[in-house]
Amino acid sequence: MSKWVYSFGAGRNEGGAEMRNLLGGKGANLAEMAGIGLPVPPGFTLTTEVCTAFYENDRQYPADLPGQVRDALTHIEKAQGLTFGDAKKPLLVSVRSGARVSMPGMMDTVLNLGLNDQTVKGLAAMSGDQRFAWDSYRRFIQMYGGVVLGVEHHKFEEIMDHAKQDRGVTEDTQLTAEDWQRVVAASKDMIAAETGKPFPLDPEQQLWGAIGAVFGSWETPRAVTYRRLNDIPGDWGTAVNVQVMVFGNMGDDCATGVCFTRDPATGENMFYGEYLVNAQGEDVVAGIRTPQPMAKERSKPDEKPMETEMPVIYRQLLDVRSTLEKHYKDMQDMEFTVQRGKLYMLQTRNGKRTAAASLKIAIDMAKEGLIDQKEAVNRVNPSSLDQLLHPMLDPKAKRTLLAKGLPASPGAASGAIVLNADEAESRANKGEAVILVRIETSPEDIHGMHAAKGILTTRGGMTSHAAVVARGMGRPCVAGAGGIAVDYTAQTITAGGHVLHAGDTITLDGAAGEVYAGLVAMIDPTMSGDFATLMEWADANRRMKVRANAETVLDAETARKFGAEGIGLSRTEHMFFDPQRIGAVRQMIMASDAEGRRAALAKLLPFQREDFKDLFRIMDALPITIRLLDPPLHEFLPHGEAELAAVAKALGTDVAAMRRRGAELAEANPMLGLRGCRLGIVYPEIYEMQARAIFEAAVAVAKEGKTPIPEVEIPLIGTRKELEITRAQVDRVAKAVFAEAGRSVEYTVGTMIELPRAALTAGKIAEISDFFSFGTNDLTQTTFGFSRDDAGKFLPTFVEQGILPKDPFISLDVEGVGELMRFCVENGRKTKPDLSIGICGEHGGDPASIALCEELGLDYVSCSPYRVPVARLAAAQAALHGAGDRTV
Ligand code: PEP
Ligand code: MG
C-alpha cells in the first residue's frame, strides 16, 4: 500500500524538512518545526505523489487515499478533543497548497473549513463570541465559494456592501453577528443561484472539494505561467496541507503576521515583518488593512510595533527566530498567528530576498560562522547578480518627487506609465520601457509585472503580492504609495497636485520607495564590499577561467573591471560597422576581383591595427582570442540606392554592375552561407590583412614593453583541410611581419568548433589546432538544423509544449549539443592532452551551461562583459558541485 498522507504535530510527526519533494515545502517544514518543538497546530499533508497520480489517472484519487485521510483526521480530532462536523465541539481546518518550491499567490487556500449552520453555533459557544463565529463562517463561504466553486469575488463584495449600506456603516468591523448571519444567508443563496447547487454543508464534502480545488489549481493558467517563468517542471505537482485552524481574529489578544529573520530587501540582520491585531492570515498578505511593523526600531511615530504592543509574544517570536535560523542556517520567512495570547507557527521557509539581501546574508552568515565560505558561494544565485550590476539613481540628478511608498524591491527604473498587465506586456514586447502601476497586484498580473521595468502599487505592505513577486523577479518595486490616486477609467495617476497620464514617464527608486516624475539620471553600481568578498570567495573555489567576449575599448575595459581574465572572442566584423569603415568593407565585399578587394582592405588595415593595439594594451599579459572575419555577408551588403552608388563610385564601376554583384552574393540563409573560413578561403586576402593587422599591432605593443598574447582563431571550420589552409596563411603572414619588424611575438592559431563535423573530427583537427573554442550559437543552430535567423518564430511553442526543456540558444542542449562537445573534448585531448578548450557562445554566461562546461573539463568560459561576475560565481558553484538550496 502506498503512503499518501503524512501527519505532523500532536505526537505523530511523520515528515521532515528533507522530504520537501514529497510533502512540498510547506508540509515538510511544518513537520520539521513540529519536530524541533515549535508550536505548530497539528495536521497532515497529502503528498505531491497524490497530485501526480490524480493527473495521471484522469483526475481520480488513489483508492486508498480517503481511508488514510480519515485516519489522519481522526488522530487530530482526538488530540484536539474536537470532532469534524460536530455541532458542539467542531474541529475546523485550513486547506492549503504547498509545492516543492514556493509559488507565491499562485495556489489557493481555504480557511475555517468545517463550518456549517450547526457547527457555527458550536464555534460561537466554544469561543463565547457570536460575531466572531458568524464572521468566520462568512469568510469560509466566500473563500470556498471563490476558490472551490469559482464564484466571482465581486459578487461577495456586493453582498457585503449591501450589508454595510443597510446598517449605514463603512467598515467590516462595524458589522454585528446578525449582519454576518444575513451575509451568510445571502451568500449561500447567491452561490446556489450562480452554480445551480446548494452550498455544501457536509464537512467531508467541503474537505474533498477544497482538496480537489488545490490539486486543480496546479494546472490553472496563472500557475502554469509562474512555472514557465521560474523553470518549475509541471510534473512536480503540489501537496495539500490540512491543518487545525487557529484564529488570529478572536479579539485584541489575537494577531496574525508574516516576518523574516532578516530584512529581505537589504539583508540587514534585524527582525523584520508585519502583523495585524485581530485579523485572519489573509488580511496581512491581501493588503486590505495596512499592517504594523514588528520591531520598534523600524516603526514610525504613528505606528504600533508588536515589540511594544505585545511584548511577551514578541520575545517568544525572537526566540523562534533564532531557533529557526540556527536550525535551517538560512534566512526564514515565517507566518504566525496569536490566538488569545498563545503563539502558533503556521509556516517557515527559506525567505525570498533581493539579490542585495541574498549577497549580504550569505556573507554575514559565513562571517557569523553559521555557514562556511563555500556554502556562502553556493547560496547566491549567479543570475541574480545581474540586479546588483544594474544602475541606481544618480544622487546628484535633479528630480521631482511625486510620492513615497515602501521600498519593496531595490533598483531604479524609468518607463512609461501603464495601468494594466496586458498592455504592459504588449508594449514591452515592442521594446518599450514600461512601469506597471496598479492599486494592488494579483496573480493575474504576473505577465505584466515580468514585462515591466518596474512596479508601483498604491496599496499593500512589504509582503503584499506586488512586493513579494517583484523581489523574486528582481524588478524594482515601490509598494503602498498611498499618496497616489489611480484612475483606471481616466487612465491617469494623480499625486501631489500632478496629474500624469498613461504613457507619461516616471522613475522608481525601489530601494528608497520613491516615485519621481519623468526620467531621472542613473549611475552604475560600485562593486565593492560584500560583492567583492563574494567574488573573492568564488574565485578561490573555481577551476575554470572566465573571459569576456569583447572587441571595443569600452567592452574590454568593462570586462577587466568585472574581473575577466582575457578575451575569449573578439568578433572582428564588429569592428567594421563604424561609419568610417563600413564603406571600405562594402567595397571589399562587392569587389569582383582580388585587386579590388586588396585596395579596400588596404584602407581597413590601419583601423584594424589600431583596434588590436588598444585591446593588447588593455589586456596586457592576458590572452585575446581574435577571430578572423566571420560575417553573414548580408549584414554588410549595401542596401539603399545611395549606398550602392557610393560603393560603385569607390570601385570605379556602375550601379548596374553593383546590382549584379549583389544578386550573385545574395544568400537564402546567410547564416549557413559564405561565412567564416569559407570566406577566408575564397578571398584569402581578407585573412591576410587581418593577420597582418594583428601581428603588426602585437609587435608594436610588445615594443612598448607590454605582453600581448594573441590567439588567432579561424571560425566555422568543418574539415582539417580548411584549417590547414587558413592556418598556413596566418603563419606565413606572422613570419613576414616578424621579419619586417625584427621582433617576434608568441602566438597561437586555433579554431572554433561550431559545426557537428568539426566536433566529430576533433581528433584530426586537433593535430593542427593550438586551441578549440566552442561557438555554441552556431553549434546549436547546426546540430538542431534550426536557423538562428528564424527559430525564434517557433521555439517558444516548442518550450511551451515541453518538446524542449528550454530555448537551446539560451541554455545548452545537454543531450545533443552537449554530447557533441563531450566527444570533441575527449577526442581533441586524445590527440593533444593539453589542448586549451573554451566556450564563447552566448551559453558562456548561462549558469546551467557553465555547469556542463565544468563537467566537460573546459579551461574557460567567455561571455559578455556584464555577465563576467555571473560566470565567475557560476563557475565556482559548478566546481563546488552544484548550488545548494538557492532561494532567489
Ligand atoms: C558562436 O557561433 O557561438 C559564436 C560565438 O560566434 P557567432 O555568434 O559570432 O556566430
Ligand atoms: Mg559562430
Side-chain angles (χ1 to χ4, degrees):
M1 192 180 83
S2 303
K3 184 165 174 60
W4 304 109
V5 176
Y6 287 72
S7 294
F8 55 83
R12 192 203 266 186
N13 218 34
E14 298 175 324
E18 73 292 349
M19 292 163 78
R20 153 189 293 266
N21 292 359
L22 184 66
L23 303 180
K26 192 175 290 174
N29 285 326
L30 280 168
E32 187 75 13
M33 281 202 292
I36 58 173
L38 292 177
V40 173
F44 54 89
T45 305
L46 281 72
T47 67
T48 54
E49 286 173 357
V50 178
C51 186
T52 318
F54 177 74
Y55 281 107
E56 275 171 4
N57 203 11
D58 209 12
R59 300 194 177 221
Q60 302 283 316
Y61 295 120
D64 45 356
L65 178 69
Q68 294 186 23
V69 167
R70 184 64 252 176
D71 176 57
L73 197 57
T74 304
H75 179 73
I76 54 177
E77 284 177 335
K78 284 205 184 116
Q80 299 296 107
L82 302 170
T83 307
F84 200 46
D86 188 82
K88 290 218 167 57
K89 289 188 154 193
L91 176 77
L92 303 182
V93 295
S94 66
V95 177
R96 296 171 196 256
S97 65
R100 232 190 259 195
V101 293
S102 89
M103 293 174 51
M106 303 310 294
M107 309 295 278
D108 301 298
T109 294
V110 178
L111 301 178
N112 307 341
L113 189 141
L115 280 172
N116 59 26
D117 298 347
Q118 275 74 46
T119 55
V120 68
K121 292 178 192 148
L123 180 63
M126 284 197 303
S127 63
D129 188 342
Q130 287 279 345
R131 185 184 182 284
F132 155 74
W134 284 94
D135 180 22
S136 300
Y137 191 15
R138 71 90 194 170
R139 284 172 188 257
F140 167 56
I141 293 174
Q142 286 181 355
M143 266 195 219
Y144 196 93
V147 171
V148 181
L149 306 175
V151 177
E152 287 171 82
H153 185 64
H154 71 89
K155 302 227 156 80
F156 295 106
E157 291 285 324
E158 281 160 21
I159 293 174
M160 302 259 288
D161 287 344
H162 284 147
K164 283 187 260 183
Q165 276 162 19
D166 288 350
R167 297 279 280 136
V169 299
T170 52
E171 302 294 323
D172 294 5
T173 47
Q174 294 167 292
L175 294 178
T176 63
E178 290 70 36
D179 297 327
W180 288 132
Q181 287 190 31
R182 277 193 292 276
V183 169
V184 163
S187 301
K188 283 196 296 189
D189 288 348
M190 182 271 287
I191 288 173
E194 285 291 318
T195 64
K197 282 191 214 127
F199 183 80
L201 296 176
D202 171 17
E204 293 275 342
Q205 193 188 339
Q206 293 172 355
L207 178 63
W208 284 101
I211 291 171
V214 174
F215 287 138
S217 70
W218 180 251
E219 285 300 339
T220 54
R222 68 188 201 197
V224 172
T225 302
Y226 186 89
R227 289 204 292 275
R228 182 165 49 78
L229 294 176
N230 292 279
D231 289 334
I232 298 170
D235 61 6
W236 278 6
T238 180
V240 178
N241 298 293
V242 179
Q243 189 176 21
V244 169
M245 277 302 302
V246 285
F247 296 95
N249 57 340
M250 273 187 174
D252 287 343
D253 55 353
C254 301
T256 186
V258 178
C259 46
F260 295 85
T261 55
R262 301 186 188 214
D263 186 329
T266 63
E268 204 185 331
N269 188 359
M270 79 141 11
F271 196 28
Y272 184 85
E274 297 169 330
Y275 81 109
L276 275 173
V277 169
N278 198 10
Q280 204 159 34
E282 300 309 291
D283 301 339
V284 181
V285 257
I288 295 161
R289 279 165 61 189
T290 299
Q292 299 296 308
M294 302 291 295
K296 200 160 58 186
E297 208 183 321
R298 280 291 172 100
S299 67
K300 300 194 192 98
D302 57 338
E303 289 178 330
K304 294 185 169 164
M306 182 184 239
E307 190 170 356
T308 48
E309 298 295 304
M310 295 183 151
V312 177
I313 298 290
Y314 185 74
R315 276 197 300 278
Q316 286 173 13
L317 273 166
L318 283 182
D319 286 345
V320 171
R321 170 190 184 223
S322 98
T323 305
L324 285 178
E325 267 213 354
K326 284 202 188 98
H327 186 74
Y328 283 96
K329 301 188 191 312
D330 201 355
M331 187 268 265
Q332 296 296 294
D333 159 0
M334 37 220 233
E335 279 177 26
F336 65 89
T337 284
V338 181
Q339 177 175 306
R340 299 220 158 131
K342 181 163 170 30
L343 173 69
Y344 292 95
M345 298 309 299
L346 298 186
Q347 174 163 312
T348 192
R349 59 186 172 190
N350 290 345
K352 286 214 179 279
R353 64 204 77 178
T354 61
S358 168
L359 175 64
K360 178 160 174 53
I361 291 170
I363 301 289
D364 283 354
M365 285 191 166
K367 288 185 177 162
E368 288 159 27
L370 217 51
I371 57 176
D372 64 16
Q373 286 185 8
K374 287 184 171 37
E375 181 57 26
V377 166
N378 263 342
R379 283 281 172 92
V380 180
N381 182 342
S383 304
S384 78
L385 291 183
D386 256 357
Q387 294 172 42
L388 299 178
L389 305 172
H390 283 151
M392 48 193 206
L393 294 187
D394 180 348
K396 288 189 240 98
K398 283 217 175 90
R399 57 190 83 184
T400 312
L401 185 67
L402 278 180
K404 276 190 86 117
L406 297 169
S409 179
S414 295
I417 297 171
V418 171
L419 297 175
N420 80 68
D422 288 344
E423 197 184 333
E425 187 177 54
S426 65
R427 290 175 75 156
N429 282 345
K430 290 187 197 124
E432 206 178 325
V434 299
I435 303 288
L436 180 64
V437 184
R438 302 283 300 164
I439 295 173
E440 56 196 334
T441 62
S442 73
E444 277 80 20
D445 297 321
I446 293 272
H447 59 297
M449 298 171 78
H450 193 255
K453 296 277 182 229
I455 296 145
L456 167 63
T457 65
T458 57
R459 206 191 278 163
M462 289 294 284
T463 50
S464 63
H465 179 266
V468 171
V469 173
R471 279 200 292 275
M473 285 179 176
R475 296 288 178 282
C477 175
V478 177
I484 298 182
V486 175
D487 187 334
Y488 291 132
T489 320
Q491 290 280 294
T492 57
I493 69 168
T494 312
H498 300 264
V499 179
L500 284 89
H501 296 87
D504 290 349
T505 301
I506 52 171
T507 297
L508 304 183
D509 182 342
E514 289 165 347
V515 186
Y516 298 98
L519 205 69
V520 181
M522 298 187 192
I523 48 167
D524 283 340
T526 52
M527 280 166 299
S528 52
D530 289 340
F531 187 90
T533 307
L534 182 76
M535 284 296 118
E536 201 183 293
W537 293 353
D539 290 348
N541 283 290
R542 78 184 148 87
R543 181 192 63 78
M544 285 191 295
K545 297 259 185 218
V546 176
R547 300 194 193 180
N549 294 354
E551 42 273 332
T552 65
V553 166
L554 182 66
D555 282 351
E557 281 172 347
T558 309
R560 282 222 66 176
K561 194 173 78 188
F562 285 131
E565 297 161 295
I567 290 180
L569 175 64
S570 202
R571 291 175 161 108
T572 52
E573 60 275 11
H574 288 191
M575 299 168 168
F576 290 164
F577 284 121
D578 191 283
Q580 279 184 300
R581 311 174 186 191
I582 187 102
V585 178
R586 287 185 172 139
Q587 279 178 45
M588 183 254 306
I589 290 174
M590 299 297 279
S592 47
D593 55 21
E595 198 189 329
R597 271 190 299 277
R598 283 223 163 81
L601 286 165
K603 294 186 199 167
L604 288 169
L605 177 71
F607 290 119
Q608 284 261 278
R609 191 170 46 221
E610 290 313 304
D611 288 339
F612 296 139
K613 278 197 209 164
D614 286 339
L615 292 184
F616 285 136
R617 288 186 191 118
I618 297 168
M619 291 284 160
D620 184 22
L622 294 172
I624 306 184
T625 307
I626 301 171
R627 181 177 77 186
L628 301 187
L629 200 64
D630 176 28
L633 278 186
H634 69 290
E635 287 182 12
F636 289 113
L637 289 181
H639 301 298
E641 286 300 311
E643 286 175 359
L644 215 55
V647 176
K649 187 160 171 248
L651 286 173
T653 175
D654 57 31
V655 172
M658 282 296 91
R659 271 213 198 87
R660 267 198 310 280
R661 180 73 182 140
E664 277 167 29
L665 291 170
E667 290 175 330
N669 196 329
M671 278 293 180
L672 299 175
L674 185 56
R675 283 184 62 195
C677 67
R678 301 162 194 172
L679 192 67
I681 288 169
V682 178
Y683 307 130
E685 48 284 352
I686 298 177
Y687 281 5
E688 273 166 23
M689 180 282 283
Q690 291 199 290
R692 175 163 282 278
I694 293 169
F695 295 123
E696 286 183 355
V699 167
V701 172
K703 284 184 179 165
E704 292 167 12
K706 295 204 154 51
T707 312
I709 308 181
E711 299 176 344
V712 182
E713 181 175 61
I714 316 289
L716 225 68
I717 287 287
T719 67
R720 185 187 188 279
K721 192 77 186 167
E722 288 167 337
L723 182 59
E724 208 178 290
I725 294 169
T726 42
R727 167 161 205 149
Q729 277 176 2
V730 172
D731 287 336
R732 222 172 17 247
V733 174
K735 213 165 153 195
V737 172
F738 297 157
E740 288 160 24
R743 167 158 200 164
S744 61
V745 167
E746 290 282 319
Y747 71 97
T748 51
V749 181
T751 177
M752 292 187 86
I753 302 290
E754 298 176 282
L755 297 172
R757 195 181 192 289
L760 293 170
T761 55
K764 286 199 180 127
I765 293 175
E767 289 164 10
I768 53 163
S769 190
D770 299 328
F771 60 87
F772 283 170
S773 172
F774 285 108
T776 42
N777 301 332
D778 277 313
L779 192 58
T780 299
Q781 156 173 273
T782 50
T783 300
F784 276 99
F786 292 161
S787 164
R788 286 165 72 173
D789 289 326
D790 50 27
K793 286 186 194 152
F794 57 86
L795 277 180
T797 312
F798 271 45
V799 175
E800 237 153 65
Q801 292 190 7
I803 297 168
L804 293 172
K806 283 184 192 165
D807 180 339
F809 287 104
I810 295 174
S811 199
L812 269 176
D813 158 48
V814 176
E815 217 177 76
V817 177
E819 216 36 44
L820 275 172
M821 290 170 70
R822 187 187 307 278
F823 185 89
C824 176
V825 171
E826 273 171 23
N827 287 287
R829 290 208 173 125
K830 252 184 221 154
T831 303
K832 212 177 251 178
D834 57 353
L835 184 70
S836 158
I837 308 181
I839 180 174
C840 63
E842 293 314 302
H843 308 89
D846 166 61
S849 308
I850 291 171
L852 178 70
C853 295
E854 170 69 26
E855 192 197 316
L856 296 181
L858 299 202
D859 296 294
Y860 68 86
V861 298
S862 187
C863 56
S864 71
Y866 271 90
R867 289 202 69 86
V868 165
V870 174
R872 285 163 71 190
L873 182 56
Q877 291 182 353
L880 289 168
H881 287 293
D885 190 6
R886 286 187 202 148
T887 40
V888 176

